[in-house]
Amino acid sequence: MKRYLARQLLGLALLLAMLGHAVYEYRIGLIDRLEAIFYDARIRLTMPRTLDERIVIVDIDEKSLAEQGRWPWSRDRLAVMMDRLFDRHGVDVVGFDVVFAEPDLSSGIASLEALARRELRDNAAYQNALRRLRPKLDYDARFAAALKGRKTILGFYLSGTDGAQSSGVLPPPVLPASAFADRPIAVTLWQTHGGNLPNLQAAAAGGGHFNPLVDFDGITRRIPLLAEYGGAYYEALALAVLRAKFDFPPLIAGFVDASDRYAGLEWLELRTPQGNLRIPVDANVSALVPYRGPQGSFRYVSATDIINDRLPAGELAGKIVLVGTSAPGLMDLRATPVAAAYPGVEVHANLIAGMLDDEVKEKPAYLLAVDAVQIFFAGILLVVLLPLLSPVKAILLASLTLLGLFAMNLALWQGANLVLPFAGVAVLVVLLFVLNMSWGYFVEAKTKRQFAELFGQYVPPELVDEMAKNPEGYSMEGRKAELTVLFSDVRGFTTISEGLQPDQLAALMNEYLGAMTQVVRRHRGTLDKYIGDAIMAFWGAPLADAEHAAHAVDTALEMQTALKSLNTTLRAKGWPELKIGIGINTGMMTVGDMGSPVRKAYTVMGDAVNLGSRLEGITKQYGVGIIVGEGTREKLGDAFVLRELDRVRVKGKAEPVGIYEPLERAGAVDPATLDRLKLWSQTLHAYRTQDWDRAEMLLLNLVRAEPHPLYELYAQRIARYRREPPGEGWDGVTTFETK
């Protein structure tokens, strides 16, 4: 729990940091950058990539520059272009993404006017000719005449540079200075402007600024629909073109609560014959540009083709036309979410199309609360669950959480046009996952390594992993516990070792000990030590095991089975077969790390351990492979079929104990064996009551059914007791004077 608590506290700290970023004023730069990346990714993932036929871009492209000459062109040609667009093609609205700030003197009228004022001022013929030619040579007037009475919108720019010189004039503001009264609305504020010639702006139906709001990373994602200049509010080019299409309906500011003077501006509204258009805006009264796709989402027509009348008449009827440039040399390329160099005129086209389709994404203030809620619940879920899960499950949970959050985010993006923040919660999920995986690797892996160093040589790896989940519950300090101990020994090992070369003996023992150790570990045993050819193991520590006696007996039975398979291999190599005796006992023991400062071992000690060793030593006396003590029999209950062998008093013990041979798990013994066990129980009863005749008769029946050294042992004892009766006080206990 301490480890989980530490991880959860760290996770909560991350959660609070993300909540602070989402709700309060302080910003985390990395998250802001990621948010921009995620926003751009959603744009690219969901943009329709279709051609919008409603808007056409008349492009001052390289082809036009090659045919018409460098920009700016004489305005008589622009007048021709306007006449072609409105009269021949029947377009609806024309918006210019260029500024006409300086007069056009390319006709030479300025020089002619100078002559008329000086050298030729008295020349009546010259004056009359100039008077007739002036309308044709005043290209600005010709262009103004082409603009007048038509839905034409001129562009202008605003600048935030203090002290810069303004030029040209601006159209009338769309909203007066009193439009928002005392409401704290953060409209972008500008100090200077670059407008159009007065006669041109007066002739046009309106004007709009083409200033984008470039984000911190240089990407154009927003355009301020309203900009404040000189105490009044001016509309963006895209909004002015849209209003022109619908015959300039008034612009209505939208507030959630109009009576609340502190309420922020949520939308701008146009009441059109086709219904109300509501355009969502952010805190800066900016609209997110709903990009349709890469460059070319709108039809491009070369300006020179319009001037030279190369298009069939009426081909652009009813279209919204934006005049701009894609030529790199004219410097109107912008970095956008869909391209690093994107024509500025097409940015305006995208915004117009989005406003027409009601597809402008919105990011209202209440989404901050939604973001905080998703961060809180996702964070709490992961803070609580991740420390409890394995790496695979943790990866699955973190992945599903991210996918679920992204699916919800995308559904709001597509279905409701809401831009729900995603970076904060995504970073939180990743950080919580990395925190827990790092903790697992650097902290818990260290704990596991320590456990492996402490217990790995004794305990199977899977038990080490299980123990490492709760290291506080385990210690190598000495303690008392009821455990089960097993001793096994190779019979006649001295004779075997004398018949083999040293390398052969080493190979034989490695195979034998390796096979037996695998069996011990398979049954959750703790390997204590090798004593020459002997093996000592125990169950119930360091990992608690309620079935320690049963697991020890299962181990002994499987060791005998494994030995048969091993003997087949030994015979094939010409080596002697092995026989082992196994002693098992259950009781209270002292378990822990014991030894000297030079060498220690995790082992068990006590009378119950000594008895287990003695039981192994007497297996050969009874001709059996396994003997378990009385404590083990009581712990096993009815789980195994046992054959009682005797009651003995081993060396060093005054109290007699019953000893038993485990045959198989209950239910695995055939009926004939069970019948013999009943007969053997009757034999033992006759033996202990000194009914020698009955005991001998029963032994004869057993030997005929299945000869066994145990029966021969008891036959010899009966013969001895017939010669030397044990007397009236005999308790039927066999005393061993040697180990």
Side-chain angles (χ1 to χ4, degrees):
M1 288 304 297
K2 289 181 181 178
R3 291 181 297 131
Y4 294 148
L5 183 60
R7 292 162 75 175
Q8 288 170 343
L9 287 175
L10 287 173
L12 285 173
L14 288 174
L15 172 57
L16 290 175
M18 292 304 164
L19 282 174
H21 176 85
V23 176
Y24 297 106
E25 290 298 324
Y26 80 89
R27 309 304 300 168
I28 300 174
L30 173 63
I31 296 179
D32 287 338
R33 288 188 173 276
L34 287 175
E35 194 67 72
I37 291 171
F38 286 136
Y39 176 86
D40 295 348
R42 280 173 286 181
I43 285 280
R44 292 191 294 270
L45 180 65
T46 60
M47 58 190 184
R49 300 175 186 272
T50 55
L51 183 68
D52 190 334
E53 298 281 359
R54 298 169 299 179
I55 302 171
V56 174
I57 295 172
V58 172
D59 190 12
I60 304 169
D61 56 4
E62 297 288 355
K63 173 184 175 182
S64 299
L65 295 176
E67 291 187 3
Q68 302 294 330
R70 65 183 181 86
W71 182 263
W73 300 331
S74 62
R75 286 179 193 145
D76 62 331
R77 276 180 282 181
L78 294 179
V80 170
M81 185 176 74
M82 294 300 294
D83 291 338
R84 296 265 196 270
L85 287 172
F86 281 99
D87 297 338
R88 180 170 173 75
H89 297 292
V91 302
D92 190 7
V93 183
V94 174
F96 282 89
D97 187 26
V98 293
V99 179
F100 303 105
E102 298 175 350
D104 182 1
L105 303 177
S106 62
S107 64
I109 190 171
S111 299
L112 296 177
E113 293 278 6
L115 287 172
R117 289 192 302 270
R118 294 194 299 270
E119 292 88 344
L120 301 176
R121 64 178 179 274
D122 297 326
N123 189 321
Y126 180 81
Q127 295 291 343
N128 290 332
L130 179 59
R131 191 177 303 111
R132 292 193 304 273
L133 290 173
R134 185 177 286 116
K136 296 181 180 180
L137 297 177
D138 190 347
Y139 291 167
D140 285 330
R142 291 188 62 184
F143 185 43
L147 295 175
K148 192 171 183 63
R150 293 166 171 170
K151 293 181 181 179
T152 54
I153 304 295
L154 297 185
F156 61 89
Y157 67 87
L158 299 171
S159 173
T161 305
D162 289 327
Q165 184 69 38
S166 294
S167 62
V169 298
L170 298 182
V174 68
L175 291 174
S178 60
F180 300 130
D182 296 328
R183 293 178 184 271
I185 298 175
V187 183
T188 55
L189 180 63
W190 309 89
Q191 280 75 41
T192 58
H193 71 269
N196 295 280
L197 294 174
N199 63 326
L200 297 182
Q201 187 61 69
H209 72 80
F210 42 70
N211 291 59
L213 273 185
V214 179
D215 287 338
F216 63 91
D217 54 359
I219 304 297
T220 298
R221 300 181 180 90
R222 302 179 293 159
I223 289 180
L225 294 186
L226 293 180
E228 184 178 356
Y229 177 76
Y233 300 99
Y234 294 85
E235 61 188 325
L237 177 65
L239 181 58
V241 169
L242 184 66
R243 290 180 61 240
K245 177 176 176 58
F246 296 111
D247 298 321
F248 299 98
L251 192 64
I252 301 171
F255 299 93
V256 174
D257 184 357
S259 64
D260 184 0
R261 62 187 294 268
Y262 294 103
L265 182 63
E266 297 282 345
W267 66 85
L268 296 175
E269 188 170 326
L270 298 178
R271 293 175 181 172
T272 74
Q274 300 176 10
N276 292 352
L277 285 180
R278 180 174 287 190
I279 308 161
V281 294
D282 62 14
N284 302 121
V285 199
S286 298
L288 292 164
V289 180
Y291 291 95
R292 297 184 62 84
Q295 181 180 353
S297 298
F298 303 88
R299 181 182 177 186
Y300 277 72
V301 176
S302 288
T304 189
D305 290 340
I306 301 294
I307 295 171
N308 293 328
D309 199 16
R310 292 172 181 153
L311 268 66
E315 186 167 325
L316 306 181
K319 309 294 186 183
I320 296 173
V321 171
L322 295 179
V323 179
T325 179
S326 66
L330 296 184
M331 305 298 290
D332 191 30
L333 298 178
R334 304 186 185 278
T336 68
V338 297
Y342 194 84
V345 64
E346 193 164 349
V347 175
H348 304 300
N350 278 283
L351 183 54
I352 294 169
M355 291 189 291
L356 284 171
D357 296 334
D358 195 22
E359 287 294 333
V360 176
K361 305 298 180 185
E362 58 182 312
K363 196 174 181 181
Y366 68 78
L367 283 184
L368 291 177
V370 177
D371 186 27
V373 168
Q374 72 172 352
I375 287 174
F376 177 78
F377 282 106
I380 289 296
L381 174 72
L382 298 180
V383 165
V384 172
L385 294 183
L386 281 179
L388 304 175
L389 299 178
S390 66
V392 173
K393 291 181 178 178
I395 291 172
L396 183 62
L397 175 63
S399 300
L400 289 176
T401 302
L402 269 181
L403 286 174
L405 290 167
F406 183 71
M408 178 184 73
N409 192 286
L410 202 58
L412 290 174
W413 173 279
Q414 288 282 76
N417 282 330
L418 291 175
V419 184
L420 177 64
F422 184 67
V425 70
V427 167
L428 178 62
V429 171
V430 172
L431 287 180
L432 287 174
F433 173 76
V434 170
L435 166 67
N436 282 275
M437 291 301 99
S438 299
W439 186 284
Y441 181 79
F442 292 107
V443 178
E444 293 188 359
K446 179 181 178 181
T447 301
K448 289 184 179 182
R449 288 193 298 272
Q450 291 173 339
F451 265 78
E453 292 172 2
L454 292 174
F455 295 106
Q457 57 184 317
Y458 311 114
V459 181
E462 59 272 16
L463 296 191
V464 173
D465 292 339
E466 189 174 334
M467 292 162 64
K469 295 176 182 177
N470 183 26
E472 295 86 356
Y474 303 95
S475 170
M476 298 191 80
E477 304 241 348
R479 63 185 175 91
K480 278 278 191 182
E482 184 188 66
L483 309 174
T484 298
V485 67
L486 176 149
F487 288 88
S488 74
D489 193 37
V490 177
R491 293 175 183 165
F493 180 71
T494 302
T495 303
I496 292 172
S497 62
E498 289 174 350
L500 293 173
Q501 295 296 323
D503 58 336
Q504 293 177 323
L505 179 63
L508 183 147
M509 291 311 300
N510 287 341
E511 285 202 43
Y512 164 71
L513 293 174
M516 297 301 108
T517 299
Q518 287 181 12
V519 176
V520 171
R521 292 197 161 193
R522 198 152 44 238
H523 293 280
R524 301 172 66 89
T526 299
L527 182 66
D528 189 315
K529 61 176 69 73
Y530 302 127
I531 312 167
D533 60 298
I535 298 173
M536 178 180 174
F538 56 90
W539 282 257
L543 193 66
D545 183 1
E547 300 293 321
H548 53 82
H551 288 151
V553 173
D554 280 332
T555 300
L557 292 171
E558 190 176 334
M559 287 173 73
Q560 294 289 359
T561 302
L563 187 64
K564 294 177 183 178
S565 175
L566 178 62
N567 279 332
T568 302
T569 303
L570 297 180
R571 284 196 301 271
K573 294 181 178 181
W575 293 347
E577 295 185 16
L578 302 180
K579 292 183 180 180
I580 60 173
I582 301 174
I584 299 174
N585 191 45
T586 301
M588 295 302 296
M589 308 172 191
T590 299
V591 60
D593 199 24
M594 304 179 201
S596 70
V598 177
R599 184 177 179 84
K600 290 186 177 182
Y602 188 72
T603 188
V604 289
M605 291 183 180
D607 286 344
V609 179
N610 295 334
L611 179 57
S613 176
R614 301 291 187 272
L615 296 181
E616 179 276 315
I618 62 174
T619 53
K620 54 183 174 291
Q621 305 291 333
Y622 292 89
V624 296
I626 307 169
I627 292 180
V628 303
E630 200 166 300
T632 303
R633 184 194 66 80
E634 292 174 358
K635 194 71 177 175
L636 293 174
D638 298 327
F640 289 82
V641 175
L642 303 175
R643 171 160 52 193
E644 184 179 1
L645 300 177
D646 203 352
R647 286 182 58 78
V648 301
R649 189 178 289 108
V650 298
K651 183 175 177 59
K653 293 283 289 182
E655 293 297 322
V657 295
I659 60 173
Y660 305 84
E661 178 193 13
L663 300 180
E664 286 290 348
R665 281 265 180 181
V669 179
D670 59 88
T673 301
L674 293 176
D675 290 340
R676 288 195 294 273
L677 285 177
K678 292 178 182 178
L679 194 59
W680 169 247
S681 295
Q682 297 171 17
T683 303
L684 276 181
H685 182 266
Y687 170 78
R688 288 168 179 165
T689 58
Q690 301 185 42
D691 187 352
W692 312 125
D693 292 337
R694 177 172 170 74
E696 279 188 334
M697 180 189 68
L698 292 170
L699 280 173
L700 287 173
N701 290 333
L702 286 168
V703 169
R704 279 197 292 269
E706 181 188 37
H708 194 283
L710 177 64
Y711 307 148
E712 295 178 12
L713 172 65
Y714 272 84
Q716 293 170 6
R717 288 182 180 179
I718 291 171
R720 186 174 75 250
Y721 286 138
R722 281 183 182 278
R723 296 192 304 272
E724 302 172 5
E728 291 293 331
W730 183 58
D731 57 6
V733 174
T734 302
T735 300
F736 288 92
E737 299 297 337
T738 63
K739 296 182 180 181

